[in-house]
Amino acid sequence: MNRERSKQLYGAAREIIPGGVNSPARSWGAVGGNPLFLTRGSGSRVWDTDGNEYIDYVCSWGPLILGHANDRVVSAITQAAADGTSFGAPTERENEIARLVVDAYESIEMVRFVNSGTEATMSALRLARAYTGRSKIVKFEGGYHGHSDALLVAAGSGALAHGVPDSAGVTASFAQDTLLGVFNDLSSVEAHFDAFPEDIACVIVEPIAGNMGVVPPQEGFLQGLRDLTEKHNSLLIFDEVITGFRVEYGGAQQRFGITADITCLGKIIGGGMPVGAYGGSAEIMATVAPLGGMYQAGTLSGNPVAMAAGIATLEQLQEPDVYNALGAKAASLAAGLQEVFAEAEVPLRINRVGSMMTLFFNAGEVTGWETVSASDREGFGRFFHRMLGEGVYLPPSPFEAMFVSTAHSDADIEATISAARRALA
Ligand code: KE4
């Protein structure tokens, strides 16, 4: 495959953009090589600047559950933009999408829209501290919640892939209030509550870990967090930026029947445009300015173009059987991959929930941070590049989720499985 143009553009980008990328997750640090510059996407496909076509399983890291350039999403964006891209004043579309979110999540009575998942979780932490009057928070090793200071401690995703889970520039005064738990190990959280029974404002968790690769919650783990936070008058924050509207229309809370006190959303609710949100009970959200003393604001929060994209996306996700079909397609992909890896006698562990999954080059179970880090990342890197050569674009990191969209056809799934067979050969 000729990828000369990507290489040239990458060289030029590196002169004027740090690392040539606007997000480290895109710099292929974990797999090596030069990132592809993409020019177009349609449905399940993307094209790079050299005209090479790929079946895409990154899906913009999650937002594109309907695939690239979905007709109804694109026309909603163009129609909204034609009437003005932003007013800095309330618009009806904000009512519309807020209603969709409130109706989808039993635990959300009120919701505030922001511009990214980072803003959503940063605001949710501030809200939990304002509401409880407490300063400490608990997050999990390998959990990634965006790049706000308090959360860049033992962070996952690109921070992990680039060896900066504790980011430079995060001062000790921030980090000292961030306590670390071990995902799927309830005792690690109990220990913090025993040490600080009155000081923990919240526990923030990806209910299905996506940023150390996909690691589902083990039986009782989420309920255990729910009970612990309730017992200590602490808030349970579910960071559903990935899982929200992904694993069910009502996210992980619908799938596992656990309600969070504050829910963070992003990605899918923007349909590919910059959107984040945080919500909870009317009582908790009454703390948020202008109602209460916790301040949070944003020039482009709730702008009509992004809201239009989100509305057009969520409306299509209400159609019957969307999630069953997504899950079935992902299941057949996983089964096919498991088969070709077994034929090639290469150990593979696939963790999957619905249409989000990760290929771990590991013979055993991957249930948390320890087993994730014991997986063979070099093996993943080689497989990533071979699949690229076969026209399949996987996430360029073993610490990410890959996604199946409604636009992935059965033929795409079959083609991916035979590509894997060739890649392994
Ligand atoms: P953003 O600020 O990137 O919109 O959202 C931050 C965030 C919050 N919570 C979870 C669970 C997330 O996964 C994310 C962002 N995810 C990463 C990749 N898994 C985005 C990719 C990137 O950083 O470029």
Side-chain angles (χ1 to χ4, degrees):
M1 268 181 175
N2 166 28
R3 295 194 204 125
E4 271 318 298
R5 185 107 179 82
S6 275
K7 221 166 162 182
Q8 280 165 13
L9 290 173
Y10 187 46
R14 289 162 71 99
E15 287 166 21
I16 45 181
I17 301 170
V21 291
N22 285 310
S23 181
R26 308 173 192 169
S27 67
W28 289 23
V31 295
N34 299 330
L36 292 182
F37 275 60
L38 302 184
T39 46
R40 188 166 76 85
S42 175
S44 62
R45 303 293 168 127
V46 288
W47 284 264
D48 67 19
T49 45
D50 295 286
N52 302 305
E53 178 178 340
Y54 306 88
I55 301 172
D56 175 29
Y57 287 101
V58 179
C59 298
S60 182
W61 305 102
L64 304 180
I65 192 166
L66 299 175
H68 291 273
N70 172 275
D71 292 351
R72 281 174 53 181
V73 172
V74 172
S75 58
I77 289 171
T78 40
Q79 277 166 30
D83 291 338
T85 52
S86 178
F87 304 104
T91 65
E92 185 177 354
R93 286 190 177 88
E94 290 156 88
N95 297 25
E96 270 180 68
I97 194 167
R99 173 54 59 200
L100 288 170
V101 168
V102 164
D103 289 350
Y105 275 81
E106 187 196 321
S107 63
I108 299 179
E109 292 178 323
M110 284 213 148
V111 60
R112 166 66 60 84
F113 287 86
V114 293
N115 299 283
S116 70
T118 292
E119 267 192 85
T121 56
M122 176 177 71
S123 308
L125 281 201
R126 189 179 310 137
L127 172 55
R129 286 170 158 154
Y131 182 75
T132 62
R134 299 176 176 181
S135 58
K136 296 206 179 299
I137 67 145
V138 175
K139 76 172 286 287
F140 292 87
E141 269 183 350
Y144 180 73
H145 306 283
H147 61 87
S148 63
D149 283 355
L151 289 165
L152 276 183
V153 178
S157 182
L160 186 57
H162 293 82
V164 284
D166 304 317
S167 169
V170 175
T171 55
S173 63
F174 261 105
Q176 76 189 14
D177 281 336
T178 299
L179 307 172
L180 286 177
V182 177
F183 191 74
N184 276 331
D185 173 359
L186 215 44
S187 64
S188 70
V189 185
E190 274 164 335
H192 287 312
F193 277 105
D194 292 344
F196 304 101
E198 310 284 325
D199 297 354
I200 296 174
C202 64
V203 172
I204 182 167
V205 66
E206 296 174 61
I208 300 162
N211 288 292
M212 49 175 127
V214 174
V215 178
Q218 284 176 335
E219 186 57 38
F221 178 63
L222 295 178
Q223 187 58 53
L225 294 180
R226 179 65 285 177
D227 299 342
L228 262 176
T229 45
E230 221 136 72
K231 181 180 163 198
H232 292 275
N233 297 315
S234 199
L235 297 184
L236 179 58
I237 301 178
F238 269 13
D239 176 351
E240 294 222 43
V241 168
I242 289 183
T243 57
F245 297 96
R246 166 60 63 180
V247 295
E248 293 293 350
Y249 189 71
Q253 288 171 67
Q254 178 186 334
R255 194 169 184 108
F256 299 117
I258 309 251
T259 55
D261 295 308
I262 301 175
T263 303
C264 301
L265 297 168
K267 295 183 193 273
I268 289 173
I269 64 167
M273 297 296 287
V275 178
Y278 63 101
S281 66
E283 195 220 343
I284 291 176
M285 297 303 281
T287 317
V288 178
L291 296 181
M294 173 254 169
Y295 193 71
Q296 174 269 310
T299 304
L300 292 170
S301 296
N303 76 79
V305 181
M307 298 296 97
I311 291 163
T313 298
L314 300 191
E315 283 175 346
Q316 294 180 71
L317 293 173
Q318 291 177 351
E319 280 153 28
D321 209 37
V322 163
Y323 290 94
N324 290 339
L326 268 175
K329 220 175 285 180
S332 65
L333 174 61
L337 290 173
Q338 208 73 62
E339 213 177 288
V340 298
F341 271 74
E343 279 164 20
E345 296 177 352
V346 174
L348 175 73
R349 176 81 196 182
I350 298 181
N351 283 356
R352 178 179 72 81
V353 181
S355 58
M356 64 187 275
M357 61 195 234
T358 295
L359 312 181
F360 288 104
F361 280 56
N362 193 321
E365 285 219 326
V366 179
T367 55
W369 174 229
E370 210 178 303
T371 38
V372 161
S373 38
S375 304
D376 172 10
R377 66 166 80 179
E378 283 69 34
F380 176 86
R382 285 196 300 278
F383 184 67
F384 168 83
H385 283 286
R386 296 223 181 113
M387 287 295 268
L388 212 56
E390 297 290 345
V392 177
Y393 186 49
L394 297 173
S397 164
F399 305 119
E400 296 289 353
M402 62 188 273
F403 300 98
V404 175
S405 80
T406 57
H408 283 79
S409 64
D410 293 340
D412 288 329
I413 302 300
E414 279 319 305
T416 304
I417 293 163
S418 41
R421 186 175 285 112
R422 290 192 299 275
L424 289 165

